[in-house]
Amino acid sequence: MAIEMLKGAVAGILYNLPNLTPELIREHLEKLSKVPGLEATPDELEKLAKEFESKLNVSMSKGWVVKEDFTPWLAKARRDIDPYYWDRYRKILELKDFPPTVIAKIDEVTDRTLDLLENPAKKGAWDRRGMVVGHVQSGKTANYIGLICKAADAGYKLIIVIAGIQNSLRNQTQERIDEGFVGRDSSRLETGREHRLIGVGKIDATNLPITLTTCVHDFNKKTASSFGVQLSALKMPTVLVIKKNSKTLDNLINWLKEHNTTGGEIASPMLLIDDEADNASIDINSSPEKSSKINSQIRQLLNLFDKKCYVGYTATPFANIFVDPYTVNDMLKEDLFPRDFIVTLDEPSNYFGADKVFIGNKNSTFLREIVDNEDTLPIRHRIDHNVTEIPESLKKAIRTFILVRCLRLIRKQNGRHNSMLINASRFLALQSQLRNLVHDYLKRLEQRIRYEAAKSTHEALRDEFVASIHRTWDEEFCHLDHGWQKIQSNLLEAISPIKVIEVNSRSPGALNYRDYADSGLNIIA
């Protein structure tokens, strides 16, 4: 109890300090631990210090900007902008334990990007095109949700997010936007059930935006029409999260035309965010007279509005920057070249990406060479190859994954998702064989753990399966400050929820994280 009280007291101080160092964290812990009721041992203080370091002592630089001449407008307009949506989102980031320095940089970078868009209050027609470049899995979605919030605060009334080419990616993006911008569970919109506030809606539900898509279904003309939205006079910010799909884009374009009562271009300021802008958005047609289907549809969509901004988000911008900036089609007009600005997002200091694994680290502990696969599944194999057993290296990887689950349980991270990926063949038949063999090995481990792990350590280690897990613990994790006895007592809880699933073109929707938001999804894929 004293430890939790100490942790809460120190957190209240540290979250408000701009320049944290490991020394400063330990100084405040030491000072407060002398207060009656907040006492802690040196070991407990060091554990807390490391926990705060991992959460708070993370920095992020603001990246770089390449831009054409453009007059900034945000500073002058800020006095009249109520940061309602951004303030809600910032509070959600704090609740998710984003380090203060990272939140500050997201604030700064999204301000800078918004300033490169056009002022939505500007009269007349305007058209801005740009790109934001970030690292893989380094916070691009968090960044553009922040931009959406600030754009809505500034006066953008229609925000369209094109989120990947798969249903699962679109649904996940909708969930994130529901939580960080909309504030209610969009899955209830089509059922007529009472609204359920989530995320930012629990902080303040005064001005909830309208969403014309849900985390269950993509854009549907009938559902969208039921909201009675007047495109020429939108009062509340309205968001759509759509799949990068030709049919979906066609439906949206037709719906926008049908609901445009002015007859000309739609007057409401529109922000179009193209997630993974290098994927399917690029015109790959060799003829200058014709454009690729999705590329032409995105351009048609932009041309419906007289006030619009296009921002492509990607980790791999090479195709985008080599778009011919002078390509102009009489009907489609300009291509999607980021002619006005390019913003880079630097990764946070705790970002774990390809550089740390592959570059300048010849003795990497992250990479293990697999040398025992050739007899069972060679690197080069035919479509009719038959797999009858899995190599010891894969069995060890599975045991390691179970031990990681144990450690997360000990660290009270029970509700977190845990995933292990096996990618050994491109052939679907072999993927099915591997899935069955892995499932069989996992179930044999679970069965032996169920019967043996409750026994004393001496008795349990007589079992070959429990002993193999113990060997893996000794080889990989014995340097940690958790004894084997504690690991053994958590083995059954760690292994029992793990499922083995096959993920390929025959198994749509297999990675359904949403249904396990509270308990965490534990899978070997």
Side-chain angles (χ1 to χ4, degrees):
M1 188 65 168
I3 292 296
E4 288 302 313
M5 291 175 65
L6 173 62
K7 182 177 176 181
V10 175
I13 296 170
L14 298 182
Y15 267 101
N16 294 307
L17 294 179
N19 298 309
L20 272 179
T21 63
E23 293 74 25
L24 203 54
I25 291 171
R26 284 164 176 77
E27 181 185 323
H28 283 284
L29 279 168
E30 184 76 32
K31 198 178 295 182
L32 280 180
S33 68
K34 294 174 181 174
V35 175
L38 302 180
E39 298 91 344
T41 66
D43 284 347
E44 288 170 334
L45 287 176
E46 185 57 26
K47 278 186 182 179
L48 278 179
K50 288 178 178 177
E51 184 178 340
F52 279 121
E53 274 188 76
S54 69
K55 288 183 178 179
L56 299 178
N57 193 24
V58 179
S59 61
M60 181 179 178
S61 59
K62 64 181 181 179
W64 297 87
V65 173
V66 178
K67 62 179 180 176
E68 289 290 317
D69 289 339
F70 181 64
T71 304
W73 59 273
L74 185 57
K76 188 176 180 181
R78 195 183 294 279
R79 187 194 67 177
D80 300 318
I81 296 175
D82 176 10
Y84 171 80
Y85 296 110
W86 165 252
D87 280 348
R88 294 193 313 169
Y89 184 55
R90 178 179 51 76
K91 288 172 184 172
I92 279 292
L93 295 180
E94 289 173 355
L95 291 172
K96 285 176 168 287
D97 287 336
F98 272 60
T101 51
V102 172
I103 295 175
K105 287 303 176 186
I106 291 175
D107 188 8
E108 189 176 353
V109 171
T110 48
D111 263 3
R112 184 169 60 181
T113 309
L114 180 65
D115 209 11
L116 290 166
L117 306 184
E118 188 55 86
N119 183 350
K122 183 178 177 180
K123 303 295 183 184
W126 39 262
D127 179 0
R128 298 280 293 167
R129 310 282 176 100
M131 183 168 66
V132 178
V133 182
H135 293 257
V136 175
Q137 293 294 313
S138 65
K140 293 192 298 297
T141 308
N143 181 279
Y144 70 64
I145 294 175
L147 181 62
I148 288 170
C149 292
K150 291 187 175 183
D153 285 331
Y156 279 87
K157 293 303 183 188
L158 186 62
I159 298 156
I160 301 171
V161 180
I162 306 178
I165 61 175
Q166 297 175 325
N167 284 324
S168 58
L169 292 176
R170 192 216 69 84
N171 295 349
Q172 288 171 29
T173 303
Q174 178 80 53
E175 289 170 22
R176 296 277 300 274
I177 289 175
D178 283 354
E179 180 190 46
F181 176 56
V182 177
R184 61 173 179 258
D185 182 357
S186 63
S187 67
R188 297 184 171 221
L189 293 178
E190 295 172 280
T191 63
R193 289 181 292 168
E194 185 180 352
H195 291 328
R196 182 171 75 92
L197 296 177
I198 60 173
V200 292
K202 290 182 176 180
I203 293 171
D204 189 336
T206 309
N207 297 308
L208 297 180
I210 298 168
T211 176
L212 300 182
T213 51
T214 77
C215 56
V216 179
H217 293 122
D218 203 342
F219 178 79
N220 178 282
K221 289 171 71 174
K222 183 179 178 181
T223 303
S225 297
S226 67
F227 286 93
V229 172
Q230 294 295 322
L231 294 173
S232 58
L234 290 173
K235 292 185 172 61
M236 295 297 296
T238 301
V239 63
L240 300 93
V241 183
I242 67 171
K243 186 169 59 174
K244 197 177 293 189
N245 172 274
S246 179
K247 186 176 179 181
T248 302
L249 283 161
D250 198 43
N251 282 335
L252 176 58
I253 289 166
N254 290 332
W255 182 83
L256 288 168
K257 288 178 179 177
E258 291 165 11
H259 286 75
N260 177 19
T261 56
T262 63
E265 293 177 332
I266 301 167
S268 295
M270 189 272 286
L271 170 62
L272 176 59
I273 290 176
D274 184 0
D275 197 4
E276 306 299 344
D278 60 312
N279 186 11
S281 300
I282 304 297
D283 181 9
I284 57 171
N285 200 310
S286 59
S287 170
E289 308 302 321
K290 295 181 180 179
S291 297
S292 302
K293 186 69 173 176
I294 288 176
N295 173 270
S296 66
Q297 288 175 313
I298 294 174
R299 290 158 73 180
Q300 287 175 54
L301 180 57
L302 288 166
N303 292 336
L304 294 177
F305 296 84
D306 69 347
K307 298 177 175 67
K308 66 257 189 175
C309 288
Y310 169 89
V311 184
Y313 275 75
T314 181
T316 48
F318 313 107
N320 303 76
I321 60 176
F322 285 116
V323 169
D324 185 349
Y326 304 109
T327 298
V328 179
N329 181 290
D330 289 342
M331 185 176 295
L332 299 174
K333 300 180 183 177
E334 290 184 64
D335 205 344
L336 302 179
F337 178 72
R339 56 171 157 74
D340 296 307
F341 64 88
I342 299 174
V343 175
T344 69
L345 304 177
D346 283 354
E347 74 274 18
S349 58
N350 67 340
Y351 175 66
F352 191 94
D355 283 5
K356 286 189 179 178
V357 177
F358 295 107
I359 297 177
N361 196 357
K362 292 181 180 178
N363 300 315
S364 172
T365 58
F366 313 124
L367 296 174
R368 308 291 174 87
E369 188 175 354
I370 298 171
V371 296
D372 62 349
N373 64 293
E374 285 299 311
D375 291 339
T376 54
L377 183 60
I379 294 293
R380 294 173 178 268
H381 55 268
R382 297 171 60 87
I383 193 170
D384 57 355
H385 183 82
N386 191 37
V387 186
T388 57
E389 61 178 330
I390 56 177
E392 175 57 31
S393 58
L394 181 50
K395 291 178 182 177
K396 182 180 178 182
I398 294 167
R399 297 194 297 266
T400 305
F401 181 59
I402 295 164
L403 288 167
V404 168
R405 276 276 298 144
C406 283
L407 290 168
R408 300 200 80 173
L409 291 172
I410 291 169
R411 292 168 181 170
K412 309 299 182 188
Q413 298 173 347
N414 309 41
R416 302 288 182 87
H417 299 309
N418 299 276
S419 305
M420 172 179 171
L421 173 65
I422 300 171
N423 187 9
S425 176
R426 70 184 189 277
F427 299 124
L428 300 189
L430 267 75
Q431 290 172 19
S432 294
Q433 291 173 28
L434 278 170
R435 183 261 167 211
N436 293 338
L437 290 168
V438 170
H439 174 81
D440 179 63
Y441 180 66
L442 185 73
K443 287 305 171 185
R444 282 189 288 152
L445 280 174
E446 183 182 346
Q447 183 185 44
R448 301 317 303 159
I449 287 169
R450 189 174 295 277
Y451 288 112
E452 303 295 336
K455 298 178 180 178
S456 69
T457 298
H458 179 70
E459 290 179 296
L461 291 179
R462 289 176 179 171
D463 181 84
E464 62 174 303
F465 286 95
V466 177
S468 68
I469 298 173
H470 182 262
R471 284 197 304 274
T472 304
W473 168 261
D474 275 346
E475 291 166 1
E476 302 294 335
F477 301 113
C478 65
H479 61 283
L480 300 178
D481 55 354
H482 303 294
W484 167 253
Q485 196 167 2
K486 202 167 189 180
I487 295 297
Q488 183 178 314
S489 65
N490 278 279
L491 280 173
L492 183 58
E493 188 178 353
I495 194 173
S496 54
I498 298 175
K499 298 192 298 183
V500 184
I501 62 172
E502 183 181 341
V503 183
N504 52 39
S505 59
R506 298 188 302 204
S507 54
L511 288 171
N512 189 358
Y513 289 96
R514 185 171 181 273
D515 289 348
Y516 298 86
D518 296 327
S519 60
L521 180 61
N522 298 280
I523 56 163
I524 298 176

